[in-house]
Amino acid sequence: MEITEKLGAIEAILFASGDPIEIYRLSEASGVDAGTVPKMIRLLNDRYEGCGSGLCIKKLEGSYQMCTREEYAPMIKTALETKRSTPLSNAAMEALTIIAYNQPVSKGFVENVRGIDSSSVVNNLVEKGLVEEAGRLDVPGKPIVYRTTSVFLRSFGLSSVDDLPMLPGQTRFEDTDGEQEAPAQEAQADAQEQQTEVPADE
């Protein structure tokens, strides 16, 4: 394996991992001798330094981790906080409404109501702290079910889910599968009126 390939392999592994990787694991995965790994790391850091990259590789005891340079920490923090506090999209509001009025429900239930894959939307709601895992259904595959959180209540000015506005001419009830029907469209309109900016971090 040529040196360029060795450098590329180590760089790719560190980037994909995100977490610290022990030298022996990095060696096994890349095919680079363990004694040569430190040299490869130095070459990568020299390359980053030479081109003004915002990345660097740090040694943490017996492991290496790809990191961003300390001088860019304020900018990264601003970017991440801006991302977290971005107002919810229509798709996210729709999924959140379905979960709020019918919790606990699975991703599959949300998808059935919306008629579209909702995995990434639900995951985004979890990342923002608006919904959380609430166990698993006792059915084949045991899918995870989700419920709203205290962050959701604070964001929408509610004391409890019982304070959610009643839907015109509708009440919550369970279907034959044990999950509740979701009156998504009407609930979304009411929830949109109450939406406040989602906190950056809770």
Side-chain angles (χ1 to χ4, degrees), residues 92-183:
M93 276 301 303
E94 185 176 79
L96 181 59
T97 298
I98 294 170
I99 295 172
Y101 276 87
N102 302 277
Q103 57 187 305
V105 295
S106 64
K107 287 181 181 178
F109 180 76
V110 176
E111 291 171 354
N112 286 337
V113 175
R114 297 188 66 230
I116 188 173
D117 181 83
S118 303
S119 181
S120 61
V121 175
V122 174
N123 289 342
N124 182 53
L125 293 174
V126 172
E127 181 181 340
K128 288 179 176 293
L130 293 169
V131 302
E132 64 184 2
E133 294 183 8
R136 294 178 179 272
L137 287 177
D138 189 18
V139 297
K142 294 188 178 299
I144 296 171
V145 291
Y146 297 85
R147 65 188 174 200
T148 53
T149 66
S150 59
V151 175
F152 164 79
L153 296 176
R154 290 197 298 273
S155 297
F156 289 87
L158 304 172
S159 297
S160 73
V161 292
D162 293 333
D163 294 334
L164 285 168
M166 186 64 67
L167 301 174
Q170 294 189 352
T171 58
R172 298 173 218 174
F173 59 92
E174 294 186 350
D175 62 16
T176 54
D177 293 327
E179 292 185 2
Q180 297 171 326
E181 296 288 338

